[in-house]
Amino acid sequence: MKHATIIGTGRCLPEQVMTNDDLANIVETSDEWITSRTGIKQRRISTGENTSDLAYKAGLRALERAGLEAEALDLIICATITPDSFMPSVACMVQERLGAKRAAAFDLSAACTGLVFAMTVATSFIENGMFQNILVIGAETLSKAMDWTDRGTCVLFGDGAGAVVLQASEQKQGILSMHMVSDGSKQDYLCLPALPVSNPFVEKRDKEFTPYISMKGQEVFKFAVRTISDLIKNVLAKAELQVEDVKYVVAHQANYRIIEQAAKFAGIPLDKFFINLDRYGNTSAATIGIALDEMNEKEMLKPGDKLILVGFGGGMTSGAVLLEWN
């Protein structure tokens, strides 16, 4: 059986930095209020780059790190909830710009769990022998989906993209176990509406439609803490490993307090959790890819290290991947 292993990582973040003090100039908040509740100090905001631009640059960097030509790609999956358009997909736009002429391409929507879901799908394609080389990207331009008068949401999110290249290997390494979960009964916890139904047969059109993210913060917090702990235990059991075998946990970068509480629930020292949300905020599907590339760039990852990637997001969705770095 083939095994999926990461051979390259990449990230792209807009140059524009928005600090908590900058936010305090446009909405009723403060650096102390944001930092104490979230751990976020700043985030990156696009000044014109769209999701496909960020995705392309992250994907290009991942290919360069992998030493792989774009024409060798069999598939491109882009996880996003903020595409440039409903069609064409961001993945198709990236395919064209990279020159990945042989690759199939599609977008995947699982909110902040997007990269984990996409890696799981990609791994399944590799394990069944269908594809050899797959580019997986998580990319978001969340600033275009923000109500900048709502301090409960606009202080949390940022823009960015993270990417990994997965390749088939004969050796039992790379992705060791995976798990995905969805719970549609909690779909109102975190929402971003699309176009309302509006046609000649609709008698009453929705005049209150607002294309912004809304969130029930306390419900999301409780869901996330429990879910992260449960998923970590699940993928460890599937791989027949113990907490002590894991070098790092890369959790979705949503809120420092969520990660802190989840670490306690899972019985894992907080220093095993990589955290960079203070600099980038919540970039949804991009957070885990950005973190992984940052760790790779800092040479924090050594061959044989075991990592758990764990995410949660709107839907509600959640998932985890346990992998061995090589």
Side-chain angles (χ1 to χ4, degrees), residues 9 247-248 250 291-307 323 325-326:
T9 64
K247 182 72 176 290
Y248 296 110
V250 185
L292 203 57
D293 184 56
E294 195 167 342
M295 296 169 76
N296 192 19
E297 185 177 73
K298 292 179 178 179
E299 299 183 348
M300 295 173 62
L301 306 174
K302 308 299 181 186
D305 284 350
K306 307 292 194 305
L307 288 77
L323 63 93
W325 192 258
N326 66 304

mmCIF file of all heavy atoms in Angstrom, residues 9 247-248 250 291-307 323 325-326:
data_model
loop_
_atom_site.group_PDB
_atom_site.id
_atom_site.type_symbol
_atom_site.label_atom_id
_atom_site.label_comp_id
_atom_site.label_asym_id
_atom_site.label_seq_id
_atom_site.Cartn_x
_atom_site.Cartn_y
_atom_site.Cartn_z
ATOM 1 N N THR A 9 6.299 22.393 2.207
ATOM 2 C CA THR A 9 5.320 23.278 2.838
ATOM 3 C C THR A 9 5.512 24.700 2.318
ATOM 4 O O THR A 9 6.595 25.056 1.841
ATOM 5 C CB THR A 9 5.479 23.297 4.371
ATOM 6 O OG1 THR A 9 6.774 23.853 4.703
ATOM 7 C CG2 THR A 9 5.351 21.912 4.966
ATOM 8 N N LYS A 247 5.651 14.852 19.344
ATOM 9 C CA LYS A 247 6.566 15.984 19.551
ATOM 10 C C LYS A 247 5.795 17.297 19.619
ATOM 11 O O LYS A 247 6.035 18.137 20.490
ATOM 12 C CB LYS A 247 7.584 16.034 18.406
ATOM 13 C CG LYS A 247 8.634 17.144 18.529
ATOM 14 C CD LYS A 247 9.625 16.860 19.611
ATOM 15 C CE LYS A 247 10.731 17.933 19.643
ATOM 16 N NZ LYS A 247 11.631 17.838 18.457
ATOM 17 N N TYR A 248 4.870 17.500 18.672
ATOM 18 C CA TYR A 248 4.104 18.746 18.620
ATOM 19 C C TYR A 248 2.647 18.481 18.272
ATOM 20 O O TYR A 248 2.331 17.526 17.555
ATOM 21 C CB TYR A 248 4.664 19.699 17.553
ATOM 22 C CG TYR A 248 6.059 20.195 17.799
ATOM 23 C CD1 TYR A 248 7.110 19.765 16.990
ATOM 24 C CD2 TYR A 248 6.340 21.099 18.817
ATOM 25 C CE1 TYR A 248 8.399 20.221 17.186
ATOM 26 C CE2 TYR A 248 7.626 21.563 19.025
ATOM 27 C CZ TYR A 248 8.653 21.113 18.210
ATOM 28 O OH TYR A 248 9.931 21.567 18.418
ATOM 29 N N VAL A 250 -0.260 20.748 16.403
ATOM 30 C CA VAL A 250 -0.546 21.976 15.660
ATOM 31 C C VAL A 250 -2.062 22.093 15.568
ATOM 32 O O VAL A 250 -2.699 21.459 14.727
ATOM 33 C CB VAL A 250 0.087 21.960 14.253
ATOM 34 C CG1 VAL A 250 -0.143 23.304 13.564
ATOM 35 C CG2 VAL A 250 1.576 21.654 14.337
ATOM 36 N N ALA A 291 1.218 27.536 10.106
ATOM 37 C CA ALA A 291 2.009 27.104 11.257
ATOM 38 C C ALA A 291 3.023 26.032 10.875
ATOM 39 O O ALA A 291 4.190 26.086 11.281
ATOM 40 C CB ALA A 291 1.082 26.573 12.349
ATOM 41 N N LEU A 292 2.593 25.068 10.059
ATOM 42 C CA LEU A 292 3.472 23.974 9.664
ATOM 43 C C LEU A 292 4.661 24.502 8.862
ATOM 44 O O LEU A 292 5.810 24.077 9.065
ATOM 45 C CB LEU A 292 2.679 22.955 8.847
ATOM 46 C CG LEU A 292 3.208 21.519 8.777
ATOM 47 C CD1 LEU A 292 3.370 20.921 10.166
ATOM 48 C CD2 LEU A 292 2.283 20.666 7.930
ATOM 49 N N ASP A 293 4.414 25.443 7.952
ATOM 50 C CA ASP A 293 5.505 25.995 7.161
ATOM 51 C C ASP A 293 6.454 26.819 8.026
ATOM 52 O O ASP A 293 7.673 26.787 7.829
ATOM 53 C CB ASP A 293 4.955 26.860 6.021
ATOM 54 C CG ASP A 293 6.068 27.366 5.108
ATOM 55 O OD1 ASP A 293 6.825 26.529 4.586
ATOM 56 O OD2 ASP A 293 6.199 28.596 4.945
ATOM 57 N N GLU A 294 5.910 27.532 8.990
ATOM 58 C CA GLU A 294 6.751 28.313 9.893
ATOM 59 C C GLU A 294 7.654 27.389 10.715
ATOM 60 O O GLU A 294 8.844 27.656 10.908
ATOM 61 C CB GLU A 294 5.879 29.168 10.811
ATOM 62 C CG GLU A 294 6.644 30.259 11.528
ATOM 63 C CD GLU A 294 5.730 31.285 12.184
ATOM 64 O OE1 GLU A 294 4.543 31.366 11.819
ATOM 65 O OE2 GLU A 294 6.228 31.998 13.060
ATOM 66 N N MET A 295 7.107 26.283 11.201
ATOM 67 C CA MET A 295 7.898 25.306 11.948
ATOM 68 C C MET A 295 8.970 24.679 11.070
ATOM 69 O O MET A 295 10.112 24.479 11.507
ATOM 70 C CB MET A 295 6.979 24.219 12.506
ATOM 71 C CG MET A 295 5.965 24.719 13.514
ATOM 72 S SD MET A 295 4.706 23.473 13.918
ATOM 73 C CE MET A 295 5.659 22.392 15.004
ATOM 74 N N ASN A 296 8.610 24.386 9.836
ATOM 75 C CA ASN A 296 9.552 23.806 8.888
ATOM 76 C C ASN A 296 10.689 24.779 8.603
ATOM 77 O O ASN A 296 11.873 24.402 8.598
ATOM 78 C CB ASN A 296 8.809 23.433 7.603
ATOM 79 C CG ASN A 296 9.641 22.572 6.670
ATOM 80 O OD1 ASN A 296 10.625 21.951 7.063
ATOM 81 N ND2 ASN A 296 9.239 22.511 5.407
ATOM 82 N N GLU A 297 10.347 26.025 8.385
ATOM 83 C CA GLU A 297 11.344 27.052 8.091
ATOM 84 C C GLU A 297 12.308 27.254 9.266
ATOM 85 O O GLU A 297 13.509 27.492 9.071
ATOM 86 C CB GLU A 297 10.650 28.368 7.763
ATOM 87 C CG GLU A 297 11.571 29.485 7.325
ATOM 88 C CD GLU A 297 10.783 30.729 6.947
ATOM 89 O OE1 GLU A 297 10.258 31.396 7.865
ATOM 90 O OE2 GLU A 297 10.695 31.019 5.742
ATOM 91 N N LYS A 298 11.799 27.153 10.487
ATOM 92 C CA LYS A 298 12.616 27.323 11.690
ATOM 93 C C LYS A 298 13.394 26.059 12.050
ATOM 94 O O LYS A 298 14.091 26.025 13.068
ATOM 95 C CB LYS A 298 11.733 27.728 12.866
ATOM 96 C CG LYS A 298 11.132 29.119 12.744
ATOM 97 C CD LYS A 298 10.239 29.434 13.941
ATOM 98 C CE LYS A 298 9.675 30.841 13.851
ATOM 99 N NZ LYS A 298 8.774 31.157 14.997
ATOM 100 N N GLU A 299 13.250 25.010 11.220
ATOM 101 C CA GLU A 299 13.930 23.726 11.432
ATOM 102 C C GLU A 299 13.571 23.107 12.780
ATOM 103 O O GLU A 299 14.402 22.497 13.454
ATOM 104 C CB GLU A 299 15.449 23.881 11.283
ATOM 105 C CG GLU A 299 15.854 24.362 9.897
ATOM 106 C CD GLU A 299 17.359 24.448 9.715
ATOM 107 O OE1 GLU A 299 18.084 24.361 10.729
ATOM 108 O OE2 GLU A 299 17.809 24.588 8.567
ATOM 109 N N MET A 300 12.320 23.275 13.164
ATOM 110 C CA MET A 300 11.825 22.673 14.405
ATOM 111 C C MET A 300 11.483 21.199 14.218
ATOM 112 O O MET A 300 11.372 20.462 15.197
ATOM 113 C CB MET A 300 10.570 23.420 14.880
ATOM 114 C CG MET A 300 10.806 24.856 15.287
ATOM 115 S SD MET A 300 9.233 25.733 15.640
ATOM 116 C CE MET A 300 8.597 24.759 17.018
ATOM 117 N N LEU A 301 11.292 20.775 12.967
ATOM 118 C CA LEU A 301 10.813 19.427 12.675
ATOM 119 C C LEU A 301 11.956 18.539 12.201
ATOM 120 O O LEU A 301 12.666 18.888 11.247
ATOM 121 C CB LEU A 301 9.715 19.482 11.616
ATOM 122 C CG LEU A 301 8.546 20.428 11.936
ATOM 123 C CD1 LEU A 301 7.599 20.520 10.746
ATOM 124 C CD2 LEU A 301 7.807 19.959 13.179
ATOM 125 N N LYS A 302 12.123 17.401 12.848
ATOM 126 C CA LYS A 302 13.179 16.458 12.514
ATOM 127 C C LYS A 302 12.569 15.149 12.028
ATOM 128 O O LYS A 302 11.462 14.780 12.431
ATOM 129 C CB LYS A 302 14.061 16.180 13.744
ATOM 130 C CG LYS A 302 14.593 17.423 14.444
ATOM 131 C CD LYS A 302 15.458 18.264 13.529
ATOM 132 C CE LYS A 302 15.989 19.497 14.270
ATOM 133 N NZ LYS A 302 16.729 20.398 13.348
ATOM 134 N N PRO A 303 13.285 14.422 11.152
ATOM 135 C CA PRO A 303 12.768 13.129 10.684
ATOM 136 C C PRO A 303 12.416 12.217 11.853
ATOM 137 O O PRO A 303 13.189 12.084 12.803
ATOM 138 C CB PRO A 303 13.939 12.569 9.870
ATOM 139 C CG PRO A 303 14.672 13.779 9.389
ATOM 140 C CD PRO A 303 14.569 14.777 10.505
ATOM 141 N N GLY A 304 11.233 11.641 11.780
ATOM 142 C CA GLY A 304 10.760 10.758 12.838
ATOM 143 C C GLY A 304 9.874 11.436 13.855
ATOM 144 O O GLY A 304 9.194 10.752 14.638
ATOM 145 N N ASP A 305 9.848 12.769 13.884
ATOM 146 C CA ASP A 305 8.965 13.486 14.809
ATOM 147 C C ASP A 305 7.507 13.165 14.498
ATOM 148 O O ASP A 305 7.100 13.166 13.338
ATOM 149 C CB ASP A 305 9.163 15.003 14.705
ATOM 150 C CG ASP A 305 10.436 15.492 15.383
ATOM 151 O OD1 ASP A 305 11.074 14.690 16.096
ATOM 152 O OD2 ASP A 305 10.785 16.669 15.197
ATOM 153 N N LYS A 306 6.727 12.925 15.530
ATOM 154 C CA LYS A 306 5.293 12.699 15.367
ATOM 155 C C LYS A 306 4.550 14.006 15.664
ATOM 156 O O LYS A 306 4.806 14.664 16.675
ATOM 157 C CB LYS A 306 4.797 11.619 16.325
ATOM 158 C CG LYS A 306 5.562 10.301 16.263
ATOM 159 C CD LYS A 306 5.351 9.566 14.964
ATOM 160 C CE LYS A 306 5.831 8.122 15.040
ATOM 161 N NZ LYS A 306 7.242 7.960 15.474
ATOM 162 N N LEU A 307 3.632 14.383 14.769
ATOM 163 C CA LEU A 307 2.839 15.596 14.918
ATOM 164 C C LEU A 307 1.365 15.271 14.800
ATOM 165 O O LEU A 307 0.977 14.385 14.036
ATOM 166 C CB LEU A 307 3.181 16.623 13.817
ATOM 167 C CG LEU A 307 4.497 17.364 13.833
ATOM 168 C CD1 LEU A 307 5.624 16.468 13.358
ATOM 169 C CD2 LEU A 307 4.417 18.573 12.906
ATOM 170 N N LEU A 323 0.833 12.444 11.929
ATOM 171 C CA LEU A 323 1.825 12.157 10.895
ATOM 172 C C LEU A 323 3.221 12.038 11.478
ATOM 173 O O LEU A 323 3.524 12.548 12.562
ATOM 174 C CB LEU A 323 1.797 13.225 9.810
ATOM 175 C CG LEU A 323 2.148 14.666 10.203
ATOM 176 C CD1 LEU A 323 3.633 14.938 9.991
ATOM 177 C CD2 LEU A 323 1.308 15.661 9.394
ATOM 178 N N TRP A 325 7.012 13.057 10.564
ATOM 179 C CA TRP A 325 7.784 13.945 9.687
ATOM 180 C C TRP A 325 8.990 13.201 9.132
ATOM 181 O O TRP A 325 9.611 12.399 9.797
ATOM 182 C CB TRP A 325 8.236 15.162 10.490
ATOM 183 C CG TRP A 325 8.779 16.263 9.638
ATOM 184 C CD1 TRP A 325 10.088 16.589 9.423
ATOM 185 C CD2 TRP A 325 8.009 17.199 8.866
ATOM 186 N NE1 TRP A 325 10.187 17.657 8.576
ATOM 187 C CE2 TRP A 325 8.930 18.052 8.215
ATOM 188 C CE3 TRP A 325 6.656 17.377 8.670
ATOM 189 C CZ2 TRP A 325 8.521 19.086 7.384
ATOM 190 C CZ3 TRP A 325 6.232 18.411 7.845
ATOM 191 C CH2 TRP A 325 7.160 19.236 7.208
ATOM 192 N N ASN A 326 9.270 13.455 7.848
ATOM 193 C CA ASN A 326 10.419 12.766 7.248
ATOM 194 C C ASN A 326 11.263 13.720 6.434
ATOM 195 O O ASN A 326 12.020 13.316 5.589
ATOM 196 C CB ASN A 326 9.951 11.601 6.375
ATOM 197 C CG ASN A 326 9.178 12.070 5.150
ATOM 198 O OD1 ASN A 326 8.185 12.784 5.277
ATOM 199 N ND2 ASN A 326 9.626 11.683 3.978
#
